[in-house]
Amino acid sequence: MPIVQIHLIEGRTVEQKRALVRKVTDAVCESVNVTPEHVKIILSDMARHDYAIGGVLKMDESK
Amino acid sequence: MPIVQIHLIEGRTVEQKRALVRKVTDAVCESVNVTPEHVKIILSDMARHDYAIGGVLKMDESK
Amino acid sequence: MPIVQIHLIEGRTVEQKRALVRKVTDAVCESVNVTPEHVKIILSDMARHDYAIGGVLKMDESK
Amino acid sequence: MPIVQIHLIEGRTVEQKRALVRKVTDAVCESVNVTPEHVKIILSDMARHDYAIGGVLKMDESK
Amino acid sequence: MPIVQIHLIEGRTVEQKRALVRKVTDAVCESVNVTPEHVKIILSDMARHDYAIGGVLKMDESK
Amino acid sequence: MPIVQIHLIEGRTVEQKRALVRKVTDAVCESVNVTPEHVKIILSDMARHDYAIGGVLKMDESK
């Protein structure tokens, strides 16, 4: 019954998300001995004005 | 002081959300002995490309 | 596929939690047209030194 | 390594968010003895039809 | 900068958690093109009286 | 109505948490123009076997 939430900076394609949920599901199943249908994954996009490290919004990062 | 977060597949109407928060609030109050003004609810819509079961995005499910 | 997380101040009995998940599940099913087996609920207890309103820990509240 | 998530009613400007992440980062660093680069902050906007107190959606509040 | 939170039923060993975070990190890196040091993972154990499907606590499930 | 959740590595004293919630509440109020009683903060401790960066549990980090 693992429930996984992944916060990502916005901009990933559906193709990347499709690969992400498949590979993360495999990783969970191999590690904690569950079957895939019990793994739920929520993807949450973060806009660049909604994520900060060190007190600086992603949109304001130099480089 | 219960704080409730509900992740839902996108597409519910405001009318459904209005009923949802009223009924869930009642359910919480009856069960754990709090008054309604202490119940906060956050609704979070999930796009069909942002939720997966069994490693498959909701948008890719064969019905 | 609703996923519900409920943060509660610690101290509820298992009997209260049992009622809580049953009633909240019913409330969700009636409101957004899903069947019960699709409703997952995570309960998260908060210690009184881990929750604050107005900048004051629950454990420090007068009355 | 603190990870902070802040749910806010929608409508804050980028300028307000910029101040918010800077000041919250400072507050965390002063209180729990970490350096700023270890503080991550996720901001999550809530629409007025996605937040409720007392069983009433924010959009339906009188006043 | 992906931030991953995984809710698991309690009872996994540290060895299983060690494998889990390594494999999930690899899965994220391969899928969305980040380097490992940017992947943070929070594991959250759920007691069997704190997780429900279909309105029934995990502890009450008839196997 | 901001709701703040802060994940911290375990080991902070109550005194540190008391300072943390007071200072973070002040930071939120100054930045987004709310009054303190509307700011709720949830603190969530993470054990050193429940947090990973770069695929390595905190408990396994060299130095």
Side-chain angles (χ1 to χ4, degrees):
Chain A
M1 287 83 194
I3 298 176
V4 181
Q5 182 168 19
I6 306 179
H7 279 91
L8 291 163
I9 291 290
E10 62 184 355
R12 269 62 189 229
T13 64
V14 170
E15 201 48 61
Q16 285 178 303
K17 292 184 174 185
R18 191 175 280 130
L20 177 63
V21 298
R22 192 182 58 239
K23 291 185 182 184
V24 169
T25 299
D26 288 348
V28 171
C29 291
E30 291 168 17
S31 308
V32 298
N33 200 28
V34 294
T35 49
E37 72 270 19
H38 288 112
V39 181
K40 284 94 189 168
I41 302 181
I42 300 168
L43 304 181
S44 301
D45 281 352
M46 300 180 292
R48 302 175 93 79
H49 55 262
D50 283 332
Y51 183 62
I53 300 183
V56 178
L57 293 177
K58 187 75 185 159
M59 64 175 288
D60 293 334
E61 278 181 9
S62 48
K63 187 175 129 58
Chain B
M1 288 83 195
I3 298 177
V4 181
Q5 181 168 19
I6 307 179
H7 279 91
L8 289 164
I9 292 290
E10 61 184 356
R12 268 63 188 227
T13 64
V14 170
E15 200 48 61
Q16 286 179 302
K17 292 184 175 187
R18 191 175 280 132
L20 177 63
V21 298
R22 193 182 59 239
K23 291 186 182 183
V24 169
T25 299
D26 287 349
V28 171
C29 290
E30 290 168 17
S31 309
V32 298
N33 199 26
V34 294
T35 49
E37 72 270 19
H38 289 111
V39 181
K40 284 94 188 166
I41 302 180
I42 300 169
L43 304 181
S44 299
D45 281 352
M46 301 181 291
R48 303 178 90 80
H49 55 262
D50 283 331
Y51 184 63
I53 301 184
V56 179
L57 293 178
K58 187 75 186 159
M59 63 175 289
D60 293 334
E61 275 181 11
S62 46
K63 197 176 103 57
Chain C
M1 288 80 194
I3 298 177
V4 181
Q5 182 169 19
I6 306 179
H7 279 90
L8 290 164
I9 291 290
E10 61 184 355
R12 268 64 189 225
T13 64
V14 170
E15 200 49 60
Q16 285 179 304
K17 292 184 173 184
R18 191 175 280 129
L20 177 63
V21 298
R22 193 182 57 240
K23 291 186 181 183
V24 168
T25 299
D26 288 349
V28 171
C29 290
E30 291 168 17
S31 309
V32 297
N33 199 26
V34 294
T35 49
E37 71 271 18
H38 288 112
V39 181
K40 285 93 187 168
I41 302 180
I42 301 168
L43 304 182
S44 301
D45 281 351
M46 301 180 291
R48 302 177 91 80
H49 54 261
D50 282 332
Y51 183 61
I53 301 183
V56 178
L57 293 177
K58 186 74 184 160
M59 64 175 288
D60 292 334
E61 277 182 10
S62 48
K63 190 176 124 54
Chain D
M1 287 83 193
I3 298 177
V4 181
Q5 181 167 19
I6 306 179
H7 279 91
L8 290 164
I9 291 289
E10 61 183 354
R12 269 63 190 227
T13 63
V14 170
E15 201 47 61
Q16 285 179 304
K17 292 184 174 184
R18 191 175 280 130
L20 177 63
V21 298
R22 192 182 59 241
K23 291 186 182 183
V24 169
T25 299
D26 288 348
V28 171
C29 290
E30 292 168 17
S31 309
V32 298
N33 199 25
V34 295
T35 49
E37 72 270 20
H38 288 112
V39 181
K40 286 94 188 167
I41 302 181
I42 301 168
L43 305 181
S44 300
D45 281 350
M46 302 180 291
R48 302 177 91 80
H49 55 262
D50 283 331
Y51 183 61
I53 300 184
V56 178
L57 294 177
K58 186 76 184 159
M59 64 174 289
D60 292 335
E61 277 183 9
S62 48
K63 187 178 126 57
Chain E
M1 288 82 193
I3 299 177
V4 181
Q5 182 168 19
I6 306 179
H7 278 91
L8 290 164
I9 291 290
E10 61 183 354
R12 268 63 188 225
T13 64
V14 169
E15 200 48 63
Q16 286 179 304
K17 292 184 175 185
R18 191 175 279 129
L20 177 63
V21 298
R22 192 182 59 241
K23 291 187 182 183
V24 169
T25 299
D26 288 349
V28 171
C29 291
E30 292 168 16
S31 309
V32 299
N33 200 26
V34 294
T35 49
E37 72 270 19
H38 288 112
V39 181
K40 284 93 187 168
I41 303 181
I42 300 168
L43 305 181
S44 301
D45 282 351
M46 300 181 291
R48 303 178 91 80
H49 54 261
D50 282 332
Y51 182 62
I53 300 183
V56 178
L57 294 177
K58 186 74 183 159
M59 63 175 288
D60 293 333
E61 275 181 10
S62 47
K63 201 179 100 57
Chain F
M1 289 82 194
I3 297 178
V4 181
Q5 182 169 19
I6 306 179
H7 279 90
L8 290 164
I9 292 290
E10 60 184 356
R12 269 63 188 226
T13 63
V14 170
E15 200 49 60
Q16 285 179 304
K17 292 184 174 185
R18 191 175 280 130
L20 178 63
V21 298
R22 192 182 59 240
K23 291 186 181 182
V24 169
T25 299
D26 288 348
V28 171
C29 290
E30 291 168 18
S31 308
V32 298
N33 200 26
V34 294
T35 49
E37 72 269 19
H38 288 113
V39 181
K40 283 94 188 169
I41 302 181
I42 300 168
L43 304 181
S44 300
D45 281 351
M46 300 181 291
R48 303 177 91 80
H49 55 261
D50 282 331
Y51 183 62
I53 300 183
V56 177
L57 294 177
K58 186 74 183 158
M59 63 175 289
D60 292 333
E61 277 182 9
S62 48
K63 190 176 124 51

